[in-house]
Amino acid sequence: MRRLAVVLALLGSLVVATPVSAEPRHEVTYDKYSLMVDDERVMLWSGEFHYFRLPSPELWRDVLEKIRAAGFTGVSLYFHWGYHSPSPGVYDFTGVRDVDRLLRMADDLGLYVVARPGPYINAETSGGGFPAWLKTVPGRARSGDPGYKAAYTEWLSRLNPIIARHQVSRGGPVIAYNVENEYAVNVDPAYMQDLQDQARAAGIDVPIVHNNCCHGDLANWSSGPGAVQIPGVDDYPQSFECGNPDAWGPWGEGVTRRLRDDAPVYAAEYQAGAIDLEDAGYDKCRDLTGPSFMKVFYKNNAISSGATMFGYYMTFGGTSWGWLPQPNDVYTSYDYGSAITESRQLTAKYDEFKRQGYFMTAVAPLTKTDAAAPPVPADPVVLARARANPDTGTQFVLVRQADLAGTADVSTTLDWATPDGRYRVPVRVAGRDAKVLVAGYDLGGQRLAWSSSEVLTHVEVSGRDVAVLYGRDGEQGSTVLRYDSEPTVRVLDGRVGSSYEHGDLRLDYTHTGLARVLVTGGGRRPLLLMLGTDETAADFWRQDTAAGPVLVRGTSLVRSAEVTGDRLVLRADTDRAGEVEVFAPVRHLTVGGRPVVVRRTAGGSLVGSLPGPEPVRLPELTGWQYRAEAPGQGESGWTAADKTTTASPIKPKTLPVLYADEYGHHNGNVWYRGRFTATGAEKTVTVNAITGRRGIYLVWLNGRYLGSAAGGTESDAEPVNPDPGRGDFAVPGGLLADGQQATLTVLVENMGHNDDWTADDVRHKQPRGLFGVVVEGSTAPLSWQIRGSRPVDGERGPMNTGGLYGERAGWHLPGSGGWRRPPGALTPGVSWYRTTFELDLPRGHDVSLGLRFEDTTARDYRVLIFVNGWNMGQYLNGAGPQREFVLPTGVLREHNTLTFAVISTGAARGDPGEVSLMTLGNHRTGAAPGR
Ligand code: IPT
């Protein structure tokens, strides 16, 4: 297969797909310009989505529909090994882990998929996607070591067949297969090759890609052993310092490099948000990576690099629910400041994606361009770069400020040799703005000579072209269209000047609101040209139907459109009452199953109005009940912790090895109990525990609370910290008596596992749990037992629960008994609280809810939030920025049980602070997502 591929590559265009089944199938090929499906070029404009961060398959469809509606042609999907595998040999692909269903959905919605199965994915998730049991496997992870190879072979042997049957070549959506992830340091080419060989052996025949992390000399897999067909590049020019949202490209210009001459340029991960490294809150991350950044960096990248494959990371970030977070970089929310918020709301960034995505995918000549000589701006403050399609001659000119961070508002002219002649084109470039202008473009049945406005999109409706151009509110714009003879120009709306000379129809206007011009005659079919602003352009939705693409203006989201006879049937949402206008070959309109009264406009569209949503009423959370979890409560489930060796390169301070993973406990809290014979002379108990950032542990001696300490964190510093997470606890006088048995009880939180970005095991195999215990003043041996999670929850999966007694006993599940009135005070240790509530939400609405914690006191407690048994995150009172938690529909039902496991490190008056439900979004939604 590989040899054949190499031979064909020499022929210029590489055939990689062999049809294998009876399904409708297509051939995926590529050349230096783009991917092609059945010889048709593809603009792979994709957004990253993590199914594992949304434990509600019905909502996968919601998010994928939103991604599709913004003009994306694809999604980039990581697959999370640890999410599917609680222990070696055990894999689950059902329910919220049903990736076959996910791929079917993508296919239904007409989205291509870049499948990214790792085995390592990074992604700020526990272990970078590795199952924690891998920490106990000898052999360096991300290398060809046999232990690791056996482990990942197991994962790929389960996942590859699923991906394979959903390839484009078999009639499915998967158009590319991403091996490894930013595999840049400590690399092993044989391993990289084996991943590809395994994929090929499993029937993966689409192009294999990789995402290179960094500019510079690190491995990028463009040549040599282990090379992939399409090497891509990850770019995060804005960094992750959300505390400074005015930053502008601290990590460079972010232009995706060409890594191979025979493959398209691939922006594998392009920054579309940020992790919140500074605890600034994700709204700041959204500002850092907002529309201005998107305009300048995305357009600059597209035109400078000529990339035709893009993966915007993240488009919807979601929730690191349960024990999914990798604790050193993130907390529960993985909102990421994305275009679609964690609560699935569309933001100003979504609008910008729509403006750019509609353009990138509507103007086909963009899929094949070479760098071209740019027109020269009269004012050097403005910089122009150009590309041209070698077949059509269509030109794409980027205009931005020469100083990328420049803030001047500059008006100048371009001396532009377009395919239709030489023109002086007026342009205006505000600070931190950029435009892609088009010249020499066959826009439907029209000839666009050039425009200083940007193209949003265009469709053909009943034999006429309908096009939308836009520019910043208040900016001047000009558009020149070519005609055989003078056409008739009717300005239907707004102020637009027109003149005709030598075949050029020139329109001049100021962008404001939405102007409409109807052009007829002139030897071409009619054109309805709409000239909008950033805002009014974003009101448009484009949807494909069997009768061709249609445009809709208004609503908060158009999910799908169908033309049946002379009726357009929309599935659309509204977040307020307002107008809806459709540009489609129909006379009637149905939205959300209801006919809408419409009138026809002078421009030929239909206009009607739609109701907004009904108000949402939420119940108060009252009637709390309580259960206490005593330290080390319960006699069953303990096992001896007596190992003396570990596969981890990090060896313990004292023996036995007390690492939780060594005993099969990979998530959440772990109880330990150490017994020894006392002398009465014990002075201090010194404990070392490793938890990951923000983790804690609590210590009791003979049932007496000694205190708590912060657990150790990441271990990639050299030398590795020999004394991590240390706490020294004084033994109270008189507590221990000579010859009597003493019991040390310790609760250690595991906040999640480190990633393995460095591929060196030191970071990834850093243990969790107790690292060393010394009782000063005693020489008696300690005999240890451990009790942790039981991965028995088939529905919610292995990462939902840890080893609290209440979790093992099912207190977090609806319907458990034994609850009583709360005592009115928090005691150190674990307390459980529970209440129930009913939701009576308006029918036919998509309401997104969250849970908000009000406590502002410095009381030191943390809360594991269980909603109907699902662990929806951890609230840290007085630490970390997150106090609102998104609760997805699906996890939320009509009747709900809300349960808190509260871990308090000190005595405090009162229950945990006030908690309430909140509405994060309310849309009347056209129709149930269906299927
Ligand atoms: C790159 C990873 O590939 C991705 O998984 C995720 O971690 C992302 O960035 C950050 O959110 S890591 C790169 C920035 C060095």
Side-chain angles (χ1 to χ4, degrees), residues 234-555:
D234 293 353
D235 256 304
Y236 290 82
Q238 280 292 64
S239 86
F240 303 109
E241 270 105 57
C242 304
N244 178 19
D246 289 334
W248 200 247
W251 288 1
E253 237 189 65
V255 173
T256 306
R257 274 189 306 163
R258 170 174 284 285
L259 291 177
R260 269 183 87 139
D261 288 337
D262 61 352
V265 176
Y266 177 25
E269 285 177 27
Y270 205 92
Q271 182 164 23
I275 45 175
D276 181 17
L277 288 184
E278 298 187 327
D279 285 353
Y282 283 113
D283 286 340
K284 290 266 171 52
C285 300
R286 212 174 332 271
D287 291 346
L288 177 74
T289 58
S292 305
F293 160 74
M294 296 168 72
K295 280 174 191 291
V296 174
F297 284 80
Y298 297 1
K299 292 175 187 179
N300 183 50
N301 181 39
I303 299 305
S304 302
S305 74
T308 55
M309 297 172 66
F310 299 84
Y312 286 99
Y313 191 105
M314 298 292 304
T315 307
F316 166 83
T319 308
S320 301
W321 62 282
W323 295 102
L324 274 171
Q326 176 264 75
N328 302 305
D329 295 324
V330 295
Y331 38 92
T332 298
S333 174
Y334 199 72
D335 177 277
Y336 215 83
S338 298
I340 305 172
T341 67
E342 186 184 3
S343 62
R344 300 177 292 106
Q345 306 306 302
L346 309 184
T347 64
K349 288 181 62 175
Y350 182 90
D351 290 346
E352 183 56 30
F353 263 128
K354 189 158 56 152
R355 286 186 288 264
Q356 294 191 34
Y358 279 19
F359 167 66
M360 293 295 290
T361 56
V363 182
L366 264 169
T367 53
K368 183 181 181 184
T369 62
D370 295 309
V376 181
D379 185 337
V381 171
V382 171
L383 174 143
R385 278 191 187 141
R387 304 193 75 78
N389 182 300
D391 304 331
T392 65
T394 308
Q395 296 179 2
F396 302 93
V397 170
L398 168 84
V399 284
R400 63 155 171 98
Q401 311 238 336
D403 170 7
L404 207 65
T407 52
D409 187 347
V410 193
S411 294
T412 184
T413 51
L414 301 177
D415 180 0
W416 191 349
T418 77
D420 298 280
R422 192 161 172 179
Y423 294 89
R424 285 176 60 81
V425 174
V427 290
R428 180 165 161 195
V429 188
R432 297 192 170 187
D433 192 12
K435 300 175 185 184
V436 178
L437 310 181
V438 181
Y441 176 47
D442 291 323
L443 184 155
Q446 317 297 320
R447 177 67 178 178
L448 179 68
W450 59 266
S451 177
S452 66
S453 305
E454 295 190 87
V455 176
L456 179 75
T457 190
H458 58 92
V459 300
E460 188 206 327
V461 176
S462 310
R464 60 149 73 161
D465 292 306
V466 178
V468 184
L469 272 51
Y470 69 98
R472 284 203 174 192
D473 192 21
E475 287 190 357
Q476 192 272 332
S478 305
T479 297
V480 172
L481 295 150
R482 301 278 303 155
Y483 290 93
D484 296 339
S485 57
E486 184 165 1
T488 307
V489 176
R490 254 181 84 198
V491 178
L492 303 176
D493 249 318
R495 292 168 60 121
V496 179
S498 69
S499 59
Y500 181 80
E501 206 182 346
H502 308 307
D504 279 3
L505 172 69
R506 178 172 170 140
L507 303 173
D508 292 289
Y509 43 87
T510 298
H511 290 283
T512 173
L514 185 68
R516 300 172 190 237
V517 185
L518 190 59
V519 185
T520 51
R524 295 184 184 274
R525 66 193 190 200
L527 166 69
L528 174 65
L529 182 64
M530 291 182 275
L531 302 160
T533 61
D534 279 8
E535 292 71 27
T536 57
D539 287 340
F540 283 90
W541 301 94
R542 179 192 163 117
Q543 283 286 349
D544 291 322
T545 75
V550 299
L551 289 184
V552 178
R553 191 181 61 79
T555 79

Side-chain angles (χ1 to χ4, degrees), residues 23 87 159 176 299 365 367 371 409 444 485 533 579 583 636 655 664 708 752 785 797 801 930:
E23 295 292 308
S87 50
L159 182 64
K299 292 175 187 179
T367 53
D409 187 347
S485 57
T533 61
E579 212 172 67
F583 304 80
S636 69
L655 288 174
S708 75
Q785 290 178 305
T801 44

